[in-house]
């Protein structure tokens, strides 16, 4: 958790720095759909959700940029699949809450195959990523002989560090 917190603080300081006002910086906003694809449990128990992110790039040379970004994704719990996974899929049993959040921060180098801000170009990127997965608490309601018994199933959290690499295509507007 300390590693995630330190990484996020470093990126926030970078964004808030007075030096950001210079011409070598570019801001990025990302958004879209997040898909749960990490492992079978995540894929089976969570649905696609929303993804948002912000980033800051610093141009080192005409073709090389240092990028920092923070992203968050929300994955809603598939209630039917969850009830089946705990063998409690009956018509009166219910679950509420339980969505998962994935918070990531990364620091990357981006190599562009054309000069900075000169138009469309292919690029390669790679760097380090810190991620925090947080599954929310689940309220489980079970019907037992005309009574409803509610249980809170504690969520779980996990942090990970990794390396990333990718390729893409820039279109400057």
């Amino acid at each position: 958790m300390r590693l995630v917190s330190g990484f996020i603080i470093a990126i926030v300081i970078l964004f808030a720095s007075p030096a950001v006002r210079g011409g070598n910086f570019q801001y990025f906003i990302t958004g879209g759909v997040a898909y749960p694809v990490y492992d079978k449990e995540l894929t089976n128990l969570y649905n696609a959700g929303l993804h948002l992110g912000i980033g800051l790039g610093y141009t080192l040379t005409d073709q090389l940029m240092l990028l920092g970004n923070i992203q968050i994704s929300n994955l809603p719990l598939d209630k039917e699949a969850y009830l089946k996974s705990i063998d409690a899929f009956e018509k009166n049993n219910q679950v509420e809450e339980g969505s998962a959040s994935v918070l990531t921060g990364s620091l990357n180098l981006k190599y562009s195959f054309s000069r900075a801000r000169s138009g469309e170009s292919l690029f390669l990127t790679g760097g380090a990523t810190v991620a925090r997965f947080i599954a929310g608490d689940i309220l489980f309601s079970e019907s037992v002989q005309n009574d409803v018994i509610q249980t809170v199933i504690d969520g779980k959290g996990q942090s990970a560090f990794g390396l990333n690499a990718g390729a893409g295509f820039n279109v400057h507007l």
Side-chain angles (χ1 to χ4, degrees):
M1 184 66 183
R2 275 189 199 154
L3 183 61
V4 173
S5 300
F7 198 78
I8 291 170
I9 289 169
I11 290 176
V12 169
I13 289 170
L14 179 64
F15 280 106
S17 169
V20 171
R21 297 183 190 122
N24 289 337
F25 287 92
Q26 291 181 21
Y27 294 95
F28 301 93
I29 298 174
T30 60
V33 178
Y35 292 98
V37 295
Y38 174 68
D39 64 10
K40 190 174 184 176
E41 180 182 336
L42 187 68
T43 303
N44 290 339
L45 296 182
Y46 294 94
N47 294 318
L50 296 177
H51 166 82
L52 297 170
I54 58 171
L56 179 68
Y58 180 75
T59 304
L60 300 169
T61 69
D62 283 346
Q63 294 176 300
L64 193 61
M65 179 179 282
L66 180 64
L67 299 169
N69 66 58
I70 298 173
Q71 302 176 32
I72 188 160
S73 300
N74 182 50
L75 304 170
L77 181 67
D78 183 333
K79 296 173 182 178
E80 184 178 312
Y82 181 79
L83 287 170
K84 287 179 181 177
S85 77
I86 62 170
D87 294 325
F89 186 70
E90 298 174 17
K91 87 175 178 182
N92 293 328
N93 292 345
Q94 297 180 359
V95 291
E96 297 176 36
E97 309 295 331
S99 65
S101 297
V102 181
L103 177 65
T104 60
S106 64
L107 193 60
N108 300 307
L109 281 175
K110 176 181 169 186
Y111 178 80
S112 192
F113 288 97
S114 74
R115 298 194 181 278
R117 302 180 194 204
S118 65
E120 293 76 23
S121 66
L122 291 171
F123 68 85
L124 298 175
T125 185
T129 299
V130 176
R132 176 82 178 148
F133 172 80
I134 305 159
D137 294 346
I138 297 172
L139 178 61
F140 174 62
S141 301
E142 181 178 21
S143 295
V144 178
Q145 300 176 352
N146 297 333
D147 285 336
V148 175
I149 299 171
Q150 291 187 321
T151 306
V152 175
I153 300 167
D154 289 336
K156 58 183 175 181
Q158 176 178 332
S159 297
F161 174 80
L163 299 176
N164 66 71
F169 189 76
N170 278 337
V171 177
H172 297 278
L173 299 177

